[in-house]
Structures are given as structure tokens and as C-alpha cells.
Amino acid sequence: MDRPISIDQLHAQFREMGIEDISRTTIRQCTMVGQALEEMVGEPFSHLEFGVPGIPACPIGIEAQKKALDEGIPSIYPSVQGIPELKRNASRFVKAFIDIDVDPKGIVPTVGSMQGSMTSILECSQLQPGKDTILYICPGFSAHGRQPDLLGIKNIFFDIYEYRAEKLRDKLESYFSQGNIAAILYSNPNNPAWICLTEEELQIIGELANQYDVIVLEDMAYLCMDFRKDLSVPFQPPFQSTVARYTDNYVILLSGSKIFSYAGERIAVVCISDKLYQREYPALKERWGIGKFGDNYILNYLYVNTSGASHSAQYALSAMFEAAVDGRYNFVKELRNYGFRAHRSRKIFEARGFHLVYDKDMEQTISDGFFYTVGYKNLRNRELLEALLRCGVVAIPLNTTGSGQSGIRVCVSRLLSDEDFEALDRHLGLFVELVKDLV
């Protein structure tokens, strides 16, 4: 495109799609807007909004799933607990790359980590009278914040931007000390900022979880993707950082979508700590007739939701876990492609006058990875996103992730070729010309 879309054309498209404020839309709505504008101008846009894998699915998983299909698995209901080999291989995988021990009994397949988180917050909100609120460390995956709203569960959040290191303790304690926090959820590495919580910060979370009896829901969708260190060798340090070293009050969400590029099959596992799995809750016993956290997770909350995860996809995930642990498949090596794309695209943004919003882990610059965040001078979320859309760039604004900062999330997965990077540079060039009188 050689000139921006007019503001009237853009707003007409918003009206047609029932959008009043583009900065308050979902990821899928942003995608739909981008697709409609592409059709209008007849040229492809730079799609930075949707976190789809940009690497082919792991072939080991595909072959294992094909084998399961050929052997007649589709006609058999899966056990809601999960197939035994997946539970065993996932337990080994967790030991190999996170260096924690989780009994296979407490590893349960879910329909993506989306179901894992939704089921977890529902159960956690019903564990103890008065503990009825979920706390989110933001910025975060926008859908996570919508889940409690759909379920009618109270929830609050805060932006970690100003609360790193010891400041995090005071901030968390200000919430935990009120006595109503049932669980806390965050992603590490972080979606969208790609910040990584330090060992000090994870220890703070774990200690406070113990002190105030709060369940920690740790989303590891981007496991081992802090490329500043080599996390690729099974059973050898360094390992993926985790709160599990500091508390037994945890559930880890571990998805095949990004680490194995297996997003289309919607397969993940939750890893419930041994102690939490066995813990008895009188409120659960009274409500459901079963007291244990883990048994309730499987037999009540998960069973009545989907009655288990795809049978054949469980064989795929099991085979991929096994291959990674045995050293036959280096998934981290494959994922490093995202780091290269992030580095190249960040240079383009910076050359056009953009700045990183979440730029540091304490004194260390954030890793190049799947996501990062950028802002442009003094532009606020709505005007920034509208201007970018007019110039061929689709992204999501940071306010939809619980951030209090202005900017957008950049996902690099769809930047595949030299032409994609060149198109991004052209689109940003148009943007700079468009907004030069606004900043």
C-alpha cells in the first residue's frame, strides 16, 4: 500500500463490525478487522496480533497420533485422568526440564491450557469459604482475565511494571493479607511482555503463597524460551525457573501449542503438586462428596466440562515429551527461530522510532522471544492502534492485557520471510509519516 487507509474508511469498518473502541477488542476481533481491511485494499497486512505457532508441528507427534488413529482410538472414550504413558512421560519431562518431581497421578491432560486455567480457577474459588477471588499478575494473556468474568468469579489484577524484586512482596502482601485471594495466576516467560520472573521474585511468590494459603497457577506456555541461557539439555542445569521450588501450593499449566507447535490439537497437561493433589478441603467434601483437590479436579470439574482431552492427541503429546526427554528431539533448538525473528523485527521498530515498553528483567535486557511490547512516543493505545491499522499493521493494545502502559504486543510468529520483514518496515514508514503531526 502506498498511502494509509482513511480514518472514515477505518471507522466505517468498525461500525460494520459493531466495534466502538478498537482498544477494547479481543485478539480474534483484531484479526477480523485486519482481514476486512486487507480485503478492502487488496494487499496483505503485517499480522502481529495472533500468537499462532510459526514453526511446523513436531513430526514425532504427528506420527504417534496417526498411529493411534489407525489403531482405532477414535471409537474409544479417553480416560478423564489421561492415558498412562502420557502421565509417565509428562512426569519425566517436568523432571528433565524444570527439575521438579510430580507424581504421574497429578498430571492430567486438558483441552489446551485454556481449559487447564479455567478449570483451575473454578476449583480454587470453591476451596475455602471467604477465599473467592483470583489475582492476576499483569500484563497477561487477555483470555485469562475473561475466564473468571464468564464464570462469575471475583478477580483483580495489577501491572507488575512498577513492582519488581522486593517491591513485589509488598504489593502481593497488600492483596493476600485481605484473606480473600484463592489463587494467583501469571505466565513465565510473560505473555505479552516477555519478562521473566527472577528466582528472587518466584521465592517471594512461593513464600507468600505458603504464608497466606494461596494456590499458584503458573502458566508455562513458553517453557524454556528464555534464550539468554541454554535450557535445552534434559536433566542438566540450568532449568526452567518455577515457583514450585518454594511452595507446594502450585498447579503448572504446560501446553503443547507453542513448545511443540501442536496448537491445532488443543492438548496440554496440568501438573498438580503431590501435596496439593492429596490435600483435603471440607468445602469440597460438603459440595461434591469428595474432599481431595486432585480427585475433584479430575472427577468433577474436568469430567463435567469435556470428559477428558482428545484421545489421539494424548498419544501425540506423550511421544513428544518422551522424545524430548530422551534427547531425540531438541524442541528448544526449533523454538530459537522466534528469538531470531524478534531480534530482527525489534531493530525495525527501533529504527522507526518505537521503544520497548517492558524492556528489562531487573538490570538485564529481556530475551528475544515469541512476544515483546513497543510504544511510540506519547501515543495512547487507541490512537496508536488505529494509526497502525490504517498503515497495514495489526496488533493488540496493551490495555487488553491488564497493563497500565501504552503500546502494543508484537507477536513474531507470522514474520516468516524476508518479504514479511520488508513489508513491516514499509508499513511502519507509512505510520511515521501519518502520525508526525500528532506526537
Side-chain angles (χ1 to χ4, degrees), residues 92-305:
R92 292 180 63 222
F93 183 86
V94 166
K95 181 62 177 176
F97 292 98
I98 310 177
D99 196 33
I100 59 171
D101 296 295
V102 180
D103 191 307
K105 184 176 183 179
I107 295 180
V108 187
T110 59
V111 184
S113 281
M114 188 81 86
Q115 186 192 31
S117 61
M118 195 161 188
T119 307
S120 297
I121 65 172
L122 179 58
E123 179 168 13
C124 287
S125 72
Q126 298 176 356
L127 296 178
Q128 301 182 66
K131 285 184 171 288
D132 57 3
T133 303
I134 310 299
L135 174 63
Y136 292 87
I137 296 180
C138 290
F141 179 35
S142 57
H144 277 161
R146 293 205 171 203
Q147 288 181 336
D149 292 336
L150 284 172
L151 294 169
I153 298 171
K154 297 176 184 176
N155 60 96
I156 52 178
F157 63 90
F158 71 93
D159 184 351
I160 197 173
Y161 189 84
E162 299 286 352
Y163 301 101
R164 301 302 302 268
E166 194 60 29
K167 292 180 181 178
L168 181 62
R169 183 186 300 275
D170 294 337
K171 187 64 175 177
L172 288 177
E173 195 152 25
S174 73
Y175 291 109
F176 286 7
S177 62
Q178 297 176 36
N180 64 328
I181 302 300
I184 180 171
L185 190 152
Y186 59 84
S187 58
N188 196 40
N190 176 275
N191 171 7
W194 213 249
I195 56 176
C196 294
L197 295 174
T198 66
E199 287 296 327
E200 177 190 1
E201 290 166 331
L202 291 167
Q203 184 172 356
I204 288 169
I205 295 170
E207 289 174 351
L208 292 177
N210 293 334
Q211 180 180 347
Y212 292 99
D213 197 14
V214 172
I215 308 300
V216 183
L217 307 177
E218 190 169 57
D219 181 7
M220 290 192 182
Y222 308 97
L223 178 86
C224 297
M225 291 174 67
D226 180 355
F227 301 127
R228 293 171 299 190
K229 48 193 173 183
D230 184 4
L231 303 172
S232 67
V233 183
F235 301 108
Q236 295 293 324
F239 297 100
Q240 169 70 43
S241 297
T242 177
V243 76
R245 304 197 209 293
Y246 309 105
T247 183
D248 290 315
N249 289 346
Y250 69 82
V251 178
I252 292 173
L253 310 174
L254 190 56
S255 171
S257 294
K258 302 303 190 306
I259 62 175
F260 297 128
S261 299
Y262 226 73
E265 294 305 290
R266 311 304 305 125
I267 187 69
V269 292
V270 295
C271 308
I272 305 170
S273 84
D274 296 353
K275 186 174 180 179
L276 180 60
Y277 188 100
Q278 298 295 338
R279 182 172 172 181
E280 295 269 351
Y281 287 92
L284 293 181
K285 181 74 171 179
E286 181 179 354
R287 182 187 287 261
W288 306 117
I290 302 173
K292 288 183 180 179
F293 181 97
D295 290 343
N296 269 292
Y297 190 96
I298 297 167
L299 300 175
N300 280 314
Y301 297 95
L302 198 59
Y303 172 69
V304 301
N305 190 334

